[in-house]
Amino acid sequence: MKFLTSLLIALVLMLNFLLSEPASAEPKYMKNPDYIEVTQALKQLSLVAEDEKQTQGAISDAVQQQLDYLQFQQYALKSGTNWGQCTNKTGKTIAVYGSPRKEDQDEQATLYFLGDNQTTPKKWDCDGFYLPQDLKGTNLGLSEQSEALQGPIAIKILDGTQLEITTNSESGNLEFNSPLAKVVQGNNINWFIPNISQSIIDSQIPNALSTKKS
């Protein structure tokens, strides 16, 4: 009886050892491509900030603002948030990028259509949005006024980002609010970036999982 009890205890301990994650294993967030990207950008910008301190005696406001944002974004990614969220406040249907459908597994992201006043739900990873060929886009999150981006392009956001897309009432340009959002081209990312107009997108039935935004 004692032998069977000892054997059972040994088997339980062995099973726990096999199933448990080693204490030295890296946290999951460190394998997130967005976390890696933010960390590298933070290291590079820290060198720029250090150079400014040595040559100018102080860090410029633009660099300091970007440092603060990168540090905050890195902290957000450490929390384990591995998805982004997109809100459409444009007054029209927009195209957003999300996890590929089963039939599109060769792509890193698939285009979905998000209706006006709709928000992608929590844990549905919105990777960014599509800017059609007949519209321009402006990133309001940048500290300095940036040139308007001309479609057709894809705008990629980092995990942990809440992206809100609106329409400028005067210019008709799409505006968004993510300082670290970046333009991606079809030749350096496996995303479908069509050459179509906003009228084509308006004719589509919204099919992205979404919730009403109050």
Side-chain angles (χ1 to χ4, degrees):
M1 185 67 180
K2 289 183 178 180
F3 172 76
L4 291 175
T5 301
S6 299
L7 180 61
L8 181 61
I9 293 173
L11 288 173
V12 170
L13 290 174
M14 184 177 293
L15 185 62
N16 285 336
F17 175 78
L18 292 173
L19 295 179
S20 62
E21 188 174 351
S24 59
E26 289 184 342
K28 289 183 178 179
Y29 67 79
M30 295 190 71
K31 298 178 181 179
N32 186 327
D34 286 349
Y35 178 83
I36 295 171
E37 181 179 334
V38 168
T39 301
Q40 291 175 342
L42 191 53
K43 288 180 179 178
Q44 293 172 357
L45 196 61
S46 296
L47 294 175
V48 174
E50 186 61 32
D51 183 64
E52 284 190 349
K53 284 177 65 177
Q54 292 181 1
T55 58
Q56 303 174 21
I59 302 173
S60 64
D61 290 342
V63 170
Q64 185 60 59
Q65 185 177 19
Q66 193 73 350
L67 272 174
D68 292 341
Y69 187 85
L70 282 169
Q71 290 169 347
F72 182 79
Q73 196 69 31
Q74 186 186 55
Y75 177 81
L77 289 166
K78 280 184 177 180
S79 71
T81 303
N82 59 356
W83 49 276
Q85 191 170 47
C86 296
T87 294
N88 179 8
K89 289 281 191 177
T90 64
K92 51 188 142 237
T93 299
I94 63 171
V96 297
Y97 290 92
S99 298
R101 306 177 186 90
K102 291 182 179 179
E103 64 270 23
D104 297 324
Q105 288 302 309
D106 58 327
E107 295 184 1
Q108 294 179 359
T110 296
L111 272 179
Y112 298 86
F113 300 103
L114 186 67
D116 179 43
N117 204 35
Q118 296 286 318
T119 297
T120 56
K122 292 181 179 180
K123 299 185 179 180
W124 190 95
D125 187 14
C126 182
D127 294 309
F129 74 100
Y130 168 76
L131 184 66
Q133 49 140 288
D134 55 344
L135 289 182
K136 293 183 178 182
T138 303
N139 189 348
L140 300 179
L142 298 177
S143 57
E144 298 178 359
Q145 183 64 34
S146 60
E147 292 184 9
L149 303 168
Q150 179 64 58
I153 55 173
I155 308 295
K156 183 181 184 298
I157 62 172
L158 296 175
D159 287 345
T161 299
Q162 277 196 325
L163 183 73
E164 183 170 286
I165 308 154
T166 58
T167 299
N168 184 292
S169 59
E170 295 182 1
S171 66
N173 292 354
L174 296 188
E175 298 179 333
F176 54 101
N177 62 339
S178 178
L180 295 183
K182 64 180 183 180
V183 175
V184 294
Q185 302 290 350
N187 57 358
N188 57 26
I189 193 169
N190 193 21
W191 286 15
F192 176 53
I193 306 176
N195 185 22
I196 59 174
S197 65
Q198 178 61 40
S199 62
I200 300 297
I201 296 175
D202 288 335
S203 69
Q204 304 301 306
I205 297 175
N207 62 353
L209 294 175
S210 61
T211 57
K212 274 283 184 184
K213 195 72 174 180
S214 58

